[in-house]
Amino acid sequence: MAHTADLPHLGIDAEPRAPLPPAVRDGITTPAERSHLQDLAATRPDVPWDRLLFSAKESVYKTCAPLAPRPLQFEDAEITFSPTARTFTAHLLLPWPAGVPAPVALGRWHTSHGILLTAAALPRPA
């Protein structure tokens, strides 16, 4: 089990277990994410993947905002989910200062009692 010292940057979000309006979904996703959401919906139609993506991005932004070179926008992170492991990976797409690699946030998700929960972290560098 990780200790808080191992996860200096942590973000958590909760959303209702319901699909997003299409206009909102289209405004927060990259083309690659829209394709990924279609694939996920075909394998696990019981999960509102678009709302889960929204929640995952909110968790990532809460995690990464203190480190980002500018305020984060929805298109600044690209999320991929593992439906079986209930995890996700977020690649930050905005430019970082020279010589600083863009962080990759790791997260977990859960759904229960009509709520979607996500948590994202930036593990301490080894």
Side-chain angles (χ1 to χ4, degrees):
M1 180 173 189
H3 296 89
T4 55
D6 297 329
L7 302 171
H9 300 282
L10 178 67
I12 299 170
D13 191 64
E15 297 289 332
R17 185 182 173 139
L20 287 175
V24 174
R25 180 198 59 229
D26 293 345
I28 68 158
T29 55
T30 67
E33 287 172 331
R34 285 190 286 279
S35 176
H36 183 52
L37 292 176
Q38 285 180 326
D39 293 343
L40 291 166
T43 60
R44 289 280 312 269
D46 59 310
V47 176
W49 292 103
D50 53 357
R51 180 78 66 161
L52 190 64
L53 180 99
F54 179 86
S55 181
K57 285 193 177 197
E58 288 289 321
S59 291
V60 168
Y61 298 155
K62 291 171 185 175
T63 303
C64 297
L67 307 172
R70 64 167 170 74
L72 295 169
Q73 304 296 317
F74 281 105
E75 66 272 6
D76 290 332
E78 197 162 77
I79 307 274
T80 54
F81 289 101
S82 170
T84 54
R86 293 183 177 242
T87 61
F88 62 90
T89 303
H91 293 273
L92 279 288
L93 305 175
L94 71 159
W96 291 81
V100 177
V104 175
L106 304 175
R108 297 192 63 81
W109 62 271
H110 181 73
T111 180
S112 180
H113 297 81
I115 301 292
L116 300 170
L117 302 168
T118 59
L122 290 175
R124 185 176 300 283

